[in-house]
RNA sequence: GCCGAUUUAGCUUAGCUGGUGGAGCGUGGGACUGUUAAUCCCAAGGUCGUGGGUUCGAGCCCCACAAUCGGCGCCA
């Protein structure tokens, strides 16, 4: 029971005048007592199918009439080129088989009204209502969500392609861990037999352990952060593309960050132009993200710019989202922010040998208000400096003993970054909320369905 | 952790000064031979989030709780 004909191919004109069997789901129906119009969808597109009572007979016509939205069906018919049909093609049905009928007592609950969700300012928030979030398992098959999932797939593919083309080795770290990566972040605590473990916040520490073995490594994996962040940019479970390179400088790592983001943008243009267009995305902007080099700015410059705009900001404080937003509102490209003050960053960031007030790090800030999409830099690599910085922070050594050990045996300069894949897809898709680009979003107040 | 808001039929919502809760979509029935989330007629469908309180009387006023949404901090 396979499937050989796809609606997308029919709409591309591959089957004009031919008899085909279409398998799919009913998106909507309309018609009279003599003919029915069925809009059939599958994963590749939609097509209008016409069933005439004279041609298909009483029984099949009744079946078509009774088939409710989201029933699965197999329709046999002839493909006609017809301008009256959306997409330019139409199936003239001559046989009908209902595979999975929908019970009229429980019709498909998502309708046009349910899809029109707006926020407090009247801005569209697709999929944002309690009802749609509760029915996420059914919302997945709406055209907007399908489009987002296709963009997401292309972005994941682009990341793998970028790193593999650069001879990186894909490497997996454990998700149960004993200690934190991010200094102030909260960890999800989970019972682990008679012990306590945590869900990983990052692959980084375990990647650094493998750095002397593989030298160039990367992953795409979920990371977990128990922050009660209620914003359009946060998930408690998000997909993290991380990389680590031996012997690399901050500039080299930034070049990879820029490279992978540009490659994601160009891949979306190559593979998903029609999806981007259907989302009303500005293709010129995506092309700019794919083709133009990303400007770099030191933290001090950013602070000066903010101060010149009248924003109160003290040297040494981390730049929060409200300040990032002011800084990036004039940008038409992602910008790197480099050389943050040491006091704003955790122990594993390498102190700048040229000026001990700073660390050799970078953040990549996306334009259009999407915020930080990459955080990275050189790592503290000598054993002596690691111990000193842990003590400065008051962080205990025990959970990091394996990490300290890696420095004792041939430590070398190295670094890497973490990229928020969902954030990048959200930005490039122009999504109104990060949950738009992940099938089952996990946020501080929702783990279901 | 902090601030703000919402909760009325399966969905989206109206509901005046506190005085018998209306509609659209969907569903069921009927009409219609080219519709574009068709159109027209009819019907069923409501413990108004939960629990208290005030009142002759509460969807509406008061209190508590819950769920959810939006924003901030923090981050990717």
């Amino acid at each position: 029971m396979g499937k050989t004909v796809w609606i997308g191919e029919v709409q591309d004109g591959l089957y004009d005048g031919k008899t085909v069997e279409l398998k799919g789901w009913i998106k909507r129906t309309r018609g009279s007592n003599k003919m029915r119009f069925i809009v059939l969808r599958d994963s590749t597109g939609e097509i209008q199918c016409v069933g005439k009572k004279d041609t298909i007979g009483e029984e099949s016509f009744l079946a078509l009439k009774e088939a409710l939205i989201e029933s699965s069906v197999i329709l046999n018919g002839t493909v006609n080129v017809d301008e009256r049909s959306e997409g330019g093609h139409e199936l003239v049905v001559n046989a009908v088989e209902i595979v999975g009928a929908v019970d009229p007592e429980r019709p498909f609950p998502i309708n046009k009204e349910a899809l029109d969700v707006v926020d407090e300012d009247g801005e569209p928030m697709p999929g944002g209502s309690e009802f749609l979030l509760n029915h996420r398992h059914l919302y997945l098959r709406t055209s907007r969500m399908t489009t987002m999932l296709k963009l997401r797939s292309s972005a994941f593919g682009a990341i793998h392609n970028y790193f593999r083309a650069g001879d990186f080795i894909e490497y997996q770290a454990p998700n149960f861990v004993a200690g934190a990566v991010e200094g102030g972040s909260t960890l999800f605590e989970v019972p682990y037999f008679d012990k306590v473990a945590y869900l990983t916040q990052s692959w980084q520490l375990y990647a650094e352990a493998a750095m002397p073995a593989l030298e160039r490594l990367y992953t795409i994996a979920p990371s977990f952060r128990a922050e009660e962040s209620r914003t359009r940019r946060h998930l408690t479970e998000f997909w993290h593309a991380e990389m680590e390179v031996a012997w690399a400088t901050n500039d080299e790592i930034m070049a990879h960050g820029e490279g992978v983001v540009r490659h994601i943008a160009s891949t979306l243009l190559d593979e998903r132009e029609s999806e981007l267009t259907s989302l009303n995305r500005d293709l010129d902007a995506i092309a700019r993200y794919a083709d133009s080099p990303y400007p770099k700015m030191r933290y001090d410059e950013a602070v000066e710019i903010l101060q010149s705009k009248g924003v109160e900001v003290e040297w040494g404080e981390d730049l929060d989202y409200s300040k990032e937003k002011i800084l990036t509102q004039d940008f038409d490209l992602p910008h790197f922010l480099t050389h943050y003050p040491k006091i704003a960053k955790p122990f594993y960031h390498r102190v700048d040998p040229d000026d001990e007030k700073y660390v050799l790090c970078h953040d990549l800030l996306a334009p259009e208000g999407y915020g930080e999409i990459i955080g990275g830099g050189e790592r503290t690599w000598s054993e002596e400096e690691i111990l000193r910085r842990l003590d400065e922070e008051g962080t205990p050594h025990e959970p990091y003993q394996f990490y300290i050990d890696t420095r004792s045996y041939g430590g070398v300069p190295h670094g890497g970054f973490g990229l928020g894949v969902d954030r990048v897809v959200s930005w490039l898709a122009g999504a109104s909320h990060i949950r738009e680009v992940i099938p089952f979003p996990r946020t501080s107040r929702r783990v279901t369905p």
Side-chain angles (χ1 to χ4, degrees):
Chain A
M1 250 258 304
K3 168 165 169 163
T4 53
V5 182
W6 301 83
I7 290 172
E9 295 172 341
V10 174
Q11 291 286 25
D12 285 342
L14 270 63
Y15 293 94
D16 293 357
K18 299 216 170 79
T19 298
V20 296
E21 179 185 73
L22 293 183
K23 296 181 174 180
W25 290 260
I26 294 178
K27 181 161 181 190
R28 50 184 179 265
T29 67
R30 46 186 176 258
S32 66
N33 63 346
K34 295 280 166 57
M35 61 196 300
R36 300 294 303 173
F37 297 96
I38 304 290
V39 178
L40 191 72
R41 65 158 189 86
D42 70 6
S43 60
T44 63
E46 296 171 7
I47 190 169
Q48 173 164 287
C49 307
V50 193
K52 297 182 183 177
K53 197 190 214 169
D54 296 347
T55 337
I56 61 175
E58 288 280 346
E59 201 181 319
S60 292
F61 189 79
L62 193 66
L64 269 193
K65 201 176 169 187
E66 288 178 350
L68 298 185
I69 287 174
E70 288 305 320
S71 299
S72 48
V73 297
I74 300 173
L75 300 179
N76 253 281
T78 311
V79 177
N80 272 353
V81 178
D82 194 320
E83 281 182 4
R84 291 173 297 185
S85 174
E86 201 146 320
H89 295 79
E90 186 174 78
L91 186 80
V92 180
V93 178
N94 52 44
V96 177
E97 184 188 336
I98 309 290
V99 179
V102 172
D103 180 359
E105 296 281 315
R106 297 189 305 121
F108 192 66
I110 298 176
N111 59 21
K112 185 188 169 195
E113 282 69 29
L115 290 173
D116 288 336
V117 181
V118 295
D119 67 11
E120 286 169 356
D121 301 323
E123 294 297 315
M125 290 288 289
S129 67
E130 182 177 2
F131 172 75
L132 290 177
L133 290 167
N134 286 339
H135 291 78
R136 193 71 173 187
H137 49 294
L138 301 178
Y139 181 71
L140 293 185
R141 45 179 100 181
T142 63
S143 60
R144 187 177 176 90
M145 194 69 221
T146 305
T147 298
M148 294 298 187
L149 293 177
K150 289 177 182 175
L151 292 172
R152 183 182 175 88
S153 168
S154 288
F156 272 68
I159 294 167
H160 284 294
N161 290 341
Y162 176 86
F163 285 116
R164 284 166 183 262
D167 289 324
F168 280 70
I169 306 293
E170 185 176 1
Y171 162 83
Q172 291 83 23
N175 287 324
F176 288 122
V177 298
V181 177
E182 297 296 335
S185 303
T186 335
L187 290 154
F188 280 110
E189 193 177 298
V190 290
Y192 195 82
F193 302 105
D194 56 347
K195 300 190 187 71
V196 166
Y198 303 95
L199 295 181
T200 185
Q201 297 174 308
S202 169
W203 161 95
Q204 180 192 322
L205 300 189
Y206 293 89
E208 288 185 63
M211 176 273 298
L214 303 174
E215 292 191 284
R216 291 167 289 187
L217 53 157
Y218 84 101
T219 196
I220 308 178
S223 283
F224 306 89
R225 301 209 179 154
E227 294 158 350
E228 290 213 52
S229 305
R230 303 188 51 73
T231 78
R232 301 175 185 219
R233 309 177 305 283
H234 284 85
L235 296 166
T236 53
E237 175 181 355
F238 67 96
W239 285 80
H240 212 173
E242 298 184 81
M243 60 86 86
E244 201 69 34
V245 192
W247 315 102
T249 64
N250 197 34
D251 281 336
E252 287 172 312
I253 298 156
M254 272 190 277
H256 279 300
E258 177 176 326
V260 72
V261 173
R262 284 171 60 177
H263 188 62
I264 295 168
S266 69
T267 301
L268 293 188
L269 283 175
D270 287 348
E271 297 179 1
R272 302 294 173 193
E273 188 181 326
S274 67
E275 280 82 4
L276 291 169
T277 305
S278 77
L279 295 170
N280 291 318
R281 235 13 212 141
D282 177 2
L283 296 183
D284 292 339
I286 313 275
R288 194 167 63 239
Y289 306 148
D291 299 335
S292 306
Y294 299 167
K296 298 184 178 72
M297 185 186 288
R298 287 180 66 111
Y299 169 89
D300 286 5
E301 283 176 73
V303 168
E304 277 172 33
I305 290 172
L306 285 168
Q307 284 170 344
S308 76
K309 293 192 181 203
V311 180
E312 272 192 44
V313 49
E314 291 273 324
W315 188 94
E317 69 178 88
D318 215 342
L319 300 180
D320 61 40
Y321 180 66
S322 65
K323 299 185 182 75
E324 267 181 21
K325 205 170 173 181
I326 294 164
L327 192 66
T328 57
Q329 66 190 6
D330 300 329
F331 293 172
D332 59 0
L333 283 172
H335 278 52
F336 281 105
L337 240 59
T338 68
H339 299 83
Y340 277 67
K342 180 171 84 172
I343 49 176
K345 292 287 178 183
F347 71 90
Y348 55 79
H349 282 99
R350 184 184 177 198
V351 171
D352 186 350
D354 297 332
D355 188 338
E356 301 240 323
K357 289 205 299 289
Y358 300 97
V359 289
L360 295 171
C361 72
H362 60 270
D363 285 354
L364 183 63
L365 307 181
E368 303 179 56
Y370 285 90
E372 190 180 331
I373 51 175
I374 282 182
E378 291 184 39
R379 317 301 188 194
T380 307
W381 64 271
S382 79
E383 179 176 11
E384 177 208 353
E385 197 176 338
I386 287 237
L387 294 174
R388 181 155 46 83
R389 296 219 56 200
L390 281 171
D391 290 341
E392 277 172 15
E393 281 186 12
T395 304
H397 296 192
E398 300 86 71
Y400 298 103
Q401 197 50 56
F402 84 92
Y403 186 70
I404 298 162
D405 259 8
T406 62
R407 270 59 175 175
S408 314
Y409 303 98
V412 298
H414 67 282
F417 66 75
L419 174 149
V421 184
D422 319 272
R423 278 194 184 174
V424 170
V425 177
S426 179
W427 159 53
L428 292 174
S432 61
H433 196 293
I434 195 167
R435 69 172 164 241
E436 279 210 76
V437 302
I438 187 165
F440 291 96
R442 296 296 180 242
T443 58
S444 60
R445 300 214 190 157
R446 182 177 285 280
V447 283
T448 54

